[in-house]
Amino acid sequence: MTQVIHDRLLIIDFGSQVTQLIARRLRELNVFCEIHPYQNVTEALLKEIAPKAIIFSGGPDSVMREGSPRPPKAAYDLGVPILGICYGQQVMMHDLGGRVEAGEHATAEFGRAYVTPTETRPEFLNGWFMDGTGKEQVWMSHGDHVAEIAPGFEVFGTSPGAPFAITADLERNFYAVQFHPEVHHTPNGATIYENFVRLAGFTGDWTMGAYREEMIAKIREQVGDNHVICGLSGGVDSSVTAILLHEAIGEQLTCVFVDHGLLRLNEAEQVVKMFRDNYNIKLIHADESDLFLGELEGVSDPETKRKIIGKLFIDVFQKYANEIKDAKFLAQGTLYPDVIESVSFSGGPSVTIKSHHNVGGLPEKMGLKLVEPLRALFKDEVRALGHELGLPASFIGRHPFPGPGLAIRCPGEITREKLAILQKADAVYIDQIRKHGLYDEIWQAFAAILPMRTVGVMGDGRTYDFALALRAVTSVDGMTADYYPFSHDFLGETSTRIINEVKGINRVFYDCTSKPPGTIELE
Ligand code: XMP
């Protein structure tokens, strides 16, 4: 067995929409953590993970509701530091003998609030309350509040709606805060996590160099002499997966690049060329666009599109897998956010927004086992790994592209005509972004063709063509995003170029919705 032990931190998820951000903050501190939905956290799991510290996430429930989420009692007896956040604080107080009260208008707090310290400053608050204002901005989102702290706890910070905003039992190393230190609106929040992991004795042993070596050994162990098929999309995730596998098992890897007809302009040729020119990897270019576009004909519901594409991907892989002798494994570039989202889809606490198709949909009937070497990583960590593996910077820096491709950038019914227009318009848009030197500042940019035609006038003639939406966002991990503030000059120039250069578009909109409340893709 490959045994590479990192210090591990367990995050028990009570259903907050921002639980993943806790993991982000910890990874930034080179601390390895795992998120598990509260239902899955049994005594056995605690034993298996042997966490060096535990964090209770926030969540939408009320601890006073019968049957509301709880950690196992054993968590408190492990003798490891615990940090409770928002609902996590309330759970901790409730479980340990304090009292929580239902939200009233006067004590509920949503949004920005200011915490002021009490007399004593524990080490947990090192670096806080230092800027001379005597307070710290935090982000609150709670209806219920702690009315009485549990025995052994003291108060170290208060806000107008949360008299117990920061509490701790210093003896047991239990910390509990009412606000969310993981979000950007708590500007000094990372310090809380830094202090917590330091107090818990983490050494920051989670690095990409170590991860690469560990994964190569794990892949070799998992795969043995068997053959692996890797679905290549040309995106960063699948490219890093392929190269990591190639490094681990060389000739035992065959990559299958499925062209579903929903790729960007000339993308198929570029991806194939990049892999054939730079790597000695066996690569099958499967042009299955007729199959995919045929099945999608007449379909306009976003979830149905995703399901159809997900299923066809599997069918196509199966077809090629059958042709490859000894193929027993399928490698996928599944990332940690996908893992978390699909865990919560099947019974976890957070609400389903979209069913990303790359995880969970693979039926056992495929007869292939999964190799998912990026399962523990966030997007920016995958980029760091790509860098570590020597992938060209132009590839590492590519904007993410969703598995269902242009299907979800073509709201409503997909037609070949619309796709061809979209491909051209998207190419002009991206060219503009590159020409203006903005590509690397933007996390993801793309065009979407809207399911509407509008009237225009070009020359002396009337036009009745499609409208196009342009989208560009900044983000760290795709979980939250801000729309990119292009200048009006840029938008005007881009709109003119698209309308002049792309037949079929006569109107261009810029989408200035952030996430939330929007999502990045239109569907
Ligand atoms: P949303 O639209 O959910 O997108 O805000 C967040 C990130 O995920 C990508 N995305 C997908 N990726 N399969 C994928 O592989 C999907 O079904 C899917 N839907 C969205 C999206 O491009 C963005 O980077």
Side-chain angles (χ1 to χ4, degrees), residues 4 17 35 81 89 97 191 197 213 215 254 281 304 362 388 422 450 463 480 512:
V4 185
Q17 295 284 346
I35 303 176
Q89 179 192 43
T191 312
V197 298
E213 295 311 316
M215 263 310 136
T254 304
I281 297 180
T304 315
L362 285 169
E388 181 76 35
L422 175 58
L450 299 176
T463 58
T480 58
C512 43

Side-chain angles (χ1 to χ4, degrees), residues 411 413 415-419 421 449-456 462-468 503-509:
E413 198 177 330
T415 64
R416 284 177 193 265
E417 180 207 6
K418 281 198 220 167
L419 286 177
I421 295 172
I449 187 163
L450 299 176
M452 65 194 259
R453 287 177 193 262
T454 71
V455 174
R462 175 188 193 268
T463 58
Y464 188 54
D465 285 334
F466 286 108
L468 189 80
K503 197 166 164 352
I505 299 288
N506 68 353
R507 195 173 292 266
V508 175
F509 296 105

Side-chain angles (χ1 to χ4, degrees), residues 229-265:
I229 304 175
C230 176
L232 201 61
S233 71
V236 188
D237 308 344
S238 63
S239 301
V240 170
T241 304
I243 294 167
L244 193 61
L245 270 137
H246 184 61
E247 209 168 275
I249 56 165
E251 285 287 296
Q252 287 161 254
L253 172 72
T254 304
C255 289
V256 180
F257 173 57
V258 176
D259 182 351
H260 49 21
L262 298 157
L263 297 166
R264 290 167 287 198
L265 193 67

Side-chain angles (χ1 to χ4, degrees), residues 238-488:
S238 63
S239 301
V240 170
T241 304
I243 294 167
L244 193 61
L245 270 137
H246 184 61
E247 209 168 275
I249 56 165
E251 285 287 296
Q252 287 161 254
L253 172 72
T254 304
C255 289
V256 180
F257 173 57
V258 176
D259 182 351
H260 49 21
L262 298 157
L263 297 166
R264 290 167 287 198
L265 193 67
N266 301 328
E267 188 164 24
E269 296 73 19
Q270 285 165 10
V271 170
V272 171
K273 188 168 168 359
M274 135 90 189
F275 271 87
R276 294 223 165 111
D277 288 357
N278 291 288
Y279 298 94
N280 193 18
I281 297 180
K282 283 187 244 165
L283 174 64
I284 297 172
H285 178 185
D287 181 357
E288 296 283 351
S289 48
D290 286 342
L291 172 71
F292 281 80
L293 298 183
E295 292 282 320
L296 286 167
E297 213 173 293
V299 177
S300 46
D301 175 65
E303 283 298 283
T304 315
K305 285 180 185 175
R306 278 197 171 75
K307 298 248 155 72
I308 290 173
I309 295 169
K311 181 188 169 300
L312 289 179
F313 252 107
I314 292 162
D315 291 350
V316 167
F317 272 125
Q318 208 165 7
K319 189 171 94 182
Y320 288 94
N322 290 341
E323 288 170 15
I324 296 164
K325 210 169 136 291
D326 292 333
K328 295 260 163 41
F329 292 89
L330 174 69
Q332 288 200 141
T334 310
L335 303 194
Y336 197 45
D338 306 327
V339 174
I340 299 300
E341 288 201 19
S342 38
V343 169
S344 34
F345 290 160
S346 53
S350 63
V351 176
T352 303
I353 310 293
K354 297 177 186 182
S355 56
H356 288 208
H357 79 259
N358 21 358
V359 204
L362 285 169
E364 311 234 307
K365 74 169 169 89
M366 258 190 95
L368 292 174
K369 289 186 213 133
L370 286 176
V371 186
E372 297 178 307
L374 311 184
R375 259 181 96 83
L377 303 185
F378 286 94
K379 191 87 185 178
D380 50 336
E381 292 172 326
V382 173
R383 292 200 169 113
L385 181 59
H387 188 72
E388 181 76 35
L389 288 164
L391 204 69
S394 59
F395 240 75
I396 295 174
R398 275 166 74 114
H399 290 172
F401 188 65
L406 300 183
I408 56 173
R409 295 177 178 178
C410 189
E413 198 177 330
I414 299 164
T415 64
R416 284 177 193 265
E417 180 207 6
K418 281 198 220 167
L419 286 177
I421 295 172
L422 175 58
Q423 283 178 327
K424 286 190 195 130
D426 185 73
V428 175
Y429 178 42
I430 298 299
D431 183 55
Q432 274 287 102
I433 290 176
R434 285 196 189 278
K435 277 200 174 125
H436 284 258
L438 302 173
Y439 191 84
D440 293 337
E441 272 180 45
I442 293 168
W443 198 74
Q444 196 171 15
F446 57 87
I449 187 163
L450 299 176
M452 65 194 259
R453 287 177 193 262
T454 71
V455 174
V457 53
M458 284 177 90
D460 291 326
R462 175 188 193 268
T463 58
Y464 188 54
D465 285 334
F466 286 108
L468 189 80
L470 302 182
R471 185 96 169 111
V473 294
T474 53
S475 177
V476 177
D477 47 26
M479 296 295 297
T480 58
D482 284 321
Y483 76 87
Y484 187 79
F486 285 124
S487 70
H488 279 276

Side-chain angles (χ1 to χ4, degrees), residues 53-123:
I54 301 176
I55 293 180
F56 296 168
S57 85
D61 218 319
S62 166
V63 291
M64 281 151 325
R65 190 185 65 76
E66 178 100 13
S68 55
R70 290 282 185 283
K73 288 272 180 280
Y76 298 107
D77 301 329
L78 289 178
V80 301
I82 303 180
L83 169 61
I85 291 158
C86 196
Y87 179 84
Q89 179 192 43
Q90 296 168 8
V91 150
M92 204 192 280
M93 291 304 144
H94 184 272
D95 284 356
L96 299 177
R99 195 163 54 81
V100 175
E101 272 177 4
E104 289 157 30
H105 195 62
T107 51
E109 277 177 310
F110 294 97
R112 187 176 294 134
Y114 291 91
V115 173
T116 43
T118 53
E119 209 105 302
T120 342
R121 292 298 155 80
E123 264 188 79

